[in-house]
Amino acid sequence: MIDMLLENERIDDLHRKGYKIIQNTEGFCFGIDAVLLSGFARVKKGEKVLDMCTGTGIIPILLEAKTDGEHFSAIEIQEQVADMARRSVALNDLQDKIDIVTGDIRKCTDYFKASSFDVITCNPPYMVPGRGFVCENSPKAYSRHEILCNINDVFNTANKMLKYGGRMYMVHRCERLTDIFVSARGNNIEPKALRLIEPRAGKSSELVLIEFSKGGKPGLKVMPSLVIYNSDGSYTDEVYDIYYN
């Protein structure tokens, strides 16, 4: 197991089916947003899933553990990050269930057949160029800022890759909701459900979970907020269940 690790890497327990994941302590590790997205996404038995901007591969690994999906594909543009995700897949002996592709989501049809996925998940870069400090050419910069892809790239690709009636699940920042809805509808992806994430009950939300449907009819359901922490700093029962089942 240790032979799979490169410099500055560690193995973390995912508390699901004994699965583990490789992370780089000097690079970008997955956050709670990815874990909450894995709890929000619905994958039915026999469905095929594509995770865009997969990073460490955390979402397809967790979805394989939590759902009865038939197969999980994932795409990541940074080779060093995609390689780490592939090693995590191998670490869990999931090569037959999860494929990690190094590639640009804007060229997804080079790697996958169009209209071939029932579900797409995405935890994309949140920040527009020029917002916040950017360390160019770093994994963290590419993961957090719209340098290599933007919101419209995400929805344009989702429209190409989803089957008609297929579902998309995204986690993003609340401040980008207008951009998200405008781009989604412009690409035939209709927002159907929204759930705000509150750090504590009554506190303002920075993150939001959204479900979309390709070709869906207009109509948005606002779900009760997902609260992360109790007043004593412990996870709420719902978040604890998402993490630890």
Side-chain angles (χ1 to χ4, degrees):
M1 187 178 295
I2 298 300
D3 292 342
M4 301 185 73
L5 298 180
L6 303 180
E7 185 178 4
N8 298 319
E9 290 183 346
R10 68 171 191 253
I11 295 176
D12 291 340
D13 193 338
L14 292 178
H15 306 286
R16 290 276 178 169
K17 296 176 68 172
Y19 290 170
K20 303 180 186 301
I21 192 165
I22 299 171
Q23 301 205 86
N24 190 314
T25 57
E26 297 298 319
F28 187 78
C29 298
F30 74 84
I32 192 172
D33 48 357
V35 178
L36 297 182
L37 179 58
S38 77
F40 181 69
R42 295 184 298 112
V43 179
K44 301 173 185 177
K45 184 176 181 179
E47 290 189 324
K48 295 181 179 179
V49 181
L50 172 64
D51 183 47
M52 300 195 298
C53 310
T54 197
T56 62
I58 179 65
I59 292 174
I61 292 174
L62 285 177
L63 288 178
E64 198 286 329
K66 296 178 179 183
T67 75
D68 293 321
E70 179 180 326
H71 193 82
F72 303 84
S73 299
I75 185 167
E76 167 57 45
I77 197 168
Q78 301 179 78
E79 170 55 32
Q80 67 187 83
V81 184
D83 174 70
M84 187 166 59
R86 277 190 289 270
R87 285 184 283 122
S88 289
V89 170
L91 178 65
N92 296 297
D93 196 24
L94 292 172
Q95 298 94 318
D96 291 340
K97 294 296 297 289
I98 301 175
D99 293 324
I100 307 290
V101 171
T102 303
D104 188 332
I105 68 165
R106 295 170 294 188
K107 301 177 181 179
C108 252
T109 51
D110 290 350
Y111 319 107
F112 309 106
K113 182 180 178 181
S115 303
S116 60
F117 293 97
D118 303 286
V119 174
I120 285 179
T121 53
C122 190
N123 180 9
Y126 292 157
M127 307 297 290
V128 296
R131 292 285 302 274
F133 175 76
V134 181
C135 179
E136 297 291 348
N137 301 318
S138 73
K140 286 185 178 181
Y142 293 142
S143 298
R144 292 174 175 170
H145 296 261
E146 292 183 337
I147 298 171
L148 301 178
C149 73
N150 58 35
I151 283 291
N152 202 60
D153 295 327
V154 169
F155 285 109
N156 182 267
T157 298
N159 186 34
K160 294 176 182 177
M161 304 312 299
L162 275 176
K163 298 176 181 179
Y164 188 82
R167 305 180 306 284
M168 179 178 177
Y169 299 91
M170 173 184 284
V171 61
H172 215 295
R173 293 184 65 88
C174 296
E175 65 187 50
R176 300 295 306 278
L177 275 172
T178 301
D179 297 333
I180 290 167
F181 288 163
V182 169
S183 180
R185 180 167 282 181
N187 284 285
N188 196 34
I189 306 290
E190 188 68 19
K192 300 300 296 179
L194 176 153
R195 191 173 195 192
L196 295 173
I197 301 172
E198 296 181 3
R200 286 179 172 79
K203 297 293 183 181
S204 60
S205 303
E206 293 186 358
L207 295 176
V208 61
L209 296 160
I210 316 169
E211 178 182 356
F212 305 85
S213 174
K214 178 177 176 178
K217 296 180 180 180
L220 178 66
K221 175 184 178 181
V222 179
M223 303 169 65
S225 296
L226 173 59
V227 180
I228 300 177
Y229 298 108
N230 295 308
S231 58
D232 63 1
S234 62
Y235 284 139
T236 59
D237 289 344
E238 185 173 6
V239 172
Y240 188 90
D241 183 62
I242 293 171
Y243 264 101
Y244 304 111
N245 195 27

